[in-house]
């Protein structure tokens, strides 16, 4: 169905992004991985996925806080694959502090990675998509794109902003074969959430299990983490022809969190 297409997944050396990249590659999509980490481990991941799927898997070390590097990543993908048909904006970071104590540099960094990088990837990839009259843009936002939690001012602001960007792009390209959507997950057990569990356990003097049950999953009515594969499968569906009429949507996958 998607065989022969090409994708960039930002922040795909770990967690949700890696799961999306693996799922796209298994569907026959050439994938450019991106993100930070140990160079040898990333190369092992890249080569293993390429060997398993027999599709081309590339890697860009572009830092999503640097617009010139973001543009270069899109140019490299277009040169290596011939096109960027699918763009998944997934790279994201978190920092937790009361707003009046929130470090200025953390605010700027979170806005740069979680919001502004989406603008730069979309701006760079859209001309090629328009020429081919086909494209799929999926922005991984969050339940925090729809509702807030205390101490996450930069993250919540960036994710709300990413939803605004999603809707605007969708309207601008509505008469083309390009769609732009956001997925708003609840909690997914990844290194990003593991870090929060450890921090909260220290801060509240609770066991990690208590933090999972009483703090993290307190907002998620179904009381379980969203599965990484569930998320990747939704991305796959949004990239398919069957999803051609879904655009400008904020699709929740949060166990009922935002239904309250
Ligand atoms: P993660 O920490 O496991 O992965 C984040 C990825 O982003 C890594 O590959 C990292 O190297 C990359 N990254 C970070 N800064 C970067 C930069 N400056 N340039 C390039 N890459 C960079 O996190 P995750 O939980 O998989 O989160 C992925 C996305 O899903 C994020 O946007 C996050 O906000 C969102 N999300 C996560 C959850 C959750 O519960 N895990 C819930 C809702 C939304």
């Amino acid at each position: 169905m998607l065989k022969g297409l090409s994708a960039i997944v930002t922040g795909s050396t770990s967690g949700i992004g890696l799961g999306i990249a693996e799922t796209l590659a298994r569907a026959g999509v050439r994938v450019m991985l991106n993100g930070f980490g140990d160079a040898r481990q990333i190369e092992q991941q890249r080569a293993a996925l390429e060997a398993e799927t027999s599709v081309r898997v590339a890697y860009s070390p572009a830092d999503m806080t640097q617009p010139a590097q973001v543009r270069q990543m899109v140019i490299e993908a277009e040169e290596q694959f011939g096109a960027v048909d699918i763009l998944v904006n997934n790279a994201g970071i978190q920092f937790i502090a009361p707003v009046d104590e929130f470090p200025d540099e953390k605010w700027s960094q979170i806005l740069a990675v979680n919001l502004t990088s989406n603008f730069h990837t979309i701006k760079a990839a859209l001309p090629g998509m328009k020429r081919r009259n086909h494209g799929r843009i999926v922005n991984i936002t969050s339940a925090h794109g729809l509702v807030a939690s205390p101490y996450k001012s930069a993250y919540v602001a960036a994710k709300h902003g990413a939803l605004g960007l999603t809707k605007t792009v969708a309207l601008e390209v509505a008469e083309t074969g390009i769609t732009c959507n956001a997925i708003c997950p609840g909690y997914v057990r990844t290194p990003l959430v593991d870090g929060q569990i450890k921090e909260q356990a220290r801060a509240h003097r609770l066991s990690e299990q208590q933090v999972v049950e009483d703090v993290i999953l307190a907002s998620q009515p179904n009381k379980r983490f969203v599965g990484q594969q569930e998320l990747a499968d939704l991305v796959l569906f949004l990239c398919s022809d069957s999803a051609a009429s879904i655009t400008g949507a904020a699709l929740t996958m949060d166990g009922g969190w935002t239904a309250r």
Side-chain angles (χ1 to χ4, degrees):
M1 192 172 57
L2 304 181
K3 213 169 162 41
L5 298 182
S6 305
I8 294 176
V9 184
T10 71
S12 48
T13 52
S14 165
I16 293 170
L18 179 58
I20 293 169
E22 288 172 341
T23 298
L24 287 172
R26 286 173 189 143
V29 177
R30 290 182 286 263
V31 180
M32 178 164 270
L33 302 172
N34 159 257
F36 297 151
D38 176 68
R40 197 148 22 117
Q41 202 181 328
I42 293 171
E43 174 50 24
Q44 274 170 5
Q45 270 171 349
R46 189 205 64 75
L49 190 56
E50 196 168 61
E52 179 203 324
T53 59
S54 302
V55 300
R56 183 80 209 284
V57 179
Y59 166 69
S60 163
D63 180 343
M64 290 301 108
T65 66
Q66 304 298 318
Q69 293 185 30
V70 174
R71 282 192 289 275
Q72 185 57 30
M73 174 183 70
V74 175
I75 290 168
E76 278 171 27
E78 285 177 338
E79 281 174 358
Q80 293 189 35
F81 300 151
V84 175
D85 307 290
I86 296 167
L87 169 64
V88 183
N89 283 309
N90 167 79
I93 52 173
Q94 175 65 285
F95 187 82
I96 297 169
V99 68
D100 50 341
E101 293 169 19
F102 212 90
D104 292 358
E105 66 280 8
K106 288 288 180 198
W107 172 273
S108 301
Q109 199 186 6
I110 289 175
L111 268 286
V113 178
N114 296 14
L115 173 59
T116 307
S117 74
N118 296 7
F119 161 70
H120 290 295
T121 54
I122 292 169
K123 186 177 175 185
L126 211 44
M129 290 181 177
K130 283 182 176 171
R131 271 196 306 278
R132 291 183 296 277
N133 197 33
H134 178 264
R136 293 286 185 266
I137 301 168
V138 182
N139 299 321
I140 307 301
T141 62
S142 169
H144 281 123
L146 296 163
V147 295
S149 294
Y151 313 124
K152 297 185 177 177
S153 54
Y155 188 86
V156 170
K159 295 297 188 182
H160 275 69
L163 278 188
L165 176 65
T166 303
K167 293 179 198 172
T168 307
V169 173
L171 292 181
E172 289 185 17
V173 296
E175 293 183 36
T176 72
I178 305 165
T179 66
C180 181
N181 291 291
I183 300 179
C184 307
Y187 283 104
V188 187
R189 191 91 194 235
T190 66
L192 184 139
V193 168
D194 282 337
Q196 286 185 45
I197 292 170
K198 283 190 174 51
E199 259 178 56
Q200 304 247 19
R202 259 195 312 273
H204 299 296
R205 294 173 191 273
L206 295 170
S207 72
E208 291 188 14
Q209 188 58 28
Q210 283 172 311
V211 171
V212 167
E213 285 167 14
D214 303 339
V215 182
I216 302 275
L217 293 181
S219 48
Q220 215 148 289
N222 69 345
K223 298 287 175 229
R224 66 169 185 83
F225 286 101
V226 176
Q228 286 189 34
Q229 191 60 51
E230 296 169 40
L231 244 172
D233 287 343
L234 181 53
V235 173
L236 208 58
F237 176 69
L238 286 175
C239 293
S240 72
D241 289 343
S242 302
S245 300
I246 303 178
T247 196
L251 298 154
T252 58
M253 191 180 255
D254 62 8
W257 178 344
T258 53
R260 287 184 198 274

